[in-house]
């Protein structure tokens, strides 16, 4: 009987060596991706908790601002009343101040609304014609 020598048993074919290397690289890649995904999931949970705390704190801050605004408007009312005007006129001054502020804020919000349509992204996605004198098409024909 002819048994293989120890040198022959330790040598592997090049194909199986490459296959072992590919298997090892894939295993390392899987481990690396798993670690990153685990880290991402933990950070997403932490970010969600932080966002919920931020929303609660913003709501509380808004409530405090509302009470401060009401206090300010009561002070304006009292100042106008102390100036000798009738209470109806004092309420009118407070009403005009509030409506004017609301109109100004709504006007500013309307100005910013155009950015909700992603204008720069839409411009980059528009189909350009080959003739520079032709207007750009927004839909394929």
């Amino acid at each position: 009987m002819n048994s293989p020598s120890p040198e022959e048993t330790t040598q592997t074919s090049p194909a199986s060596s490459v296959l072992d290397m590919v298997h090892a690289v894939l295993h390392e890649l899987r481990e690396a991706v798993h670690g990153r995904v685990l880290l991402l999931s933990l950070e997403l949970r932490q970010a969600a908790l932080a966002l919920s705390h931020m929303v609660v704190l913003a709501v509380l801050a808004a409530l405090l601002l509302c009470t401060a605004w009401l206090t300010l408007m009561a002070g304006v009312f009292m100042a106008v009343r102390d100036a000798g005007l009738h209470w109806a006129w004092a309420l009118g001054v407070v009403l005009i101040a509030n409506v004017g502020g609301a109109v100004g804020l709504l006007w500013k919000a309307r100005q910013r609304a155009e950015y909700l349509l992603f204008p720069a992204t839409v411009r980059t996605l528009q189909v350009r014609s080959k003739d520079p004198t032709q207007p750009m098409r927004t839909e394929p024909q």
Side-chain angles (χ1 to χ4, degrees):
M1 283 204 181
N2 217 354
S3 65
S5 68
E7 294 172 357
E8 292 175 356
T9 57
T10 58
Q11 293 178 350
T12 58
S13 68
S16 69
S17 175
V18 169
L19 188 59
D20 289 341
M21 287 175 53
V22 168
H23 181 62
V25 167
L26 288 176
H27 179 72
E28 289 294 323
L29 180 63
R30 188 180 137 270
E31 290 294 321
V33 169
H34 178 266
R36 300 296 192 287
V37 169
L38 181 61
L39 178 63
L40 177 65
S41 68
L42 292 173
E43 285 188 326
L44 282 173
R45 183 171 183 229
Q46 185 179 26
L49 287 172
L51 179 63
S52 66
H53 286 125
M54 290 170 64
V55 168
V56 168
L57 292 172
V59 167
L60 291 173
L63 287 173
L64 291 174
L65 285 173
C66 286
T67 58
W69 182 258
L70 289 173
T71 303
L72 176 67
M73 289 298 108
V76 168
F77 175 82
M78 296 302 289
V80 171
R81 249 334 244 141
D82 287 345
L85 289 177
H86 190 267
W87 64 268
W89 286 105
L91 280 179
V93 168
V94 170
L95 178 68
I96 289 171
N98 279 294
V99 170
V103 168
L105 291 173
L106 289 173
W107 177 73
K108 189 67 174 171
R110 184 154 169 87
Q111 282 183 329
R112 304 297 295 172
E114 72 180 69
Y115 295 109
L116 295 175
L117 302 175
F118 303 100
T121 301
V122 169
R123 278 194 305 272
T124 61
L125 295 176
Q126 287 178 332
V127 179
R128 299 189 186 275
S129 70
K130 294 185 172 134
D131 184 7
T133 61
Q134 295 292 326
M136 291 190 299
R137 297 188 327 246
T138 56
E139 308 176 346
Q141 291 179 354

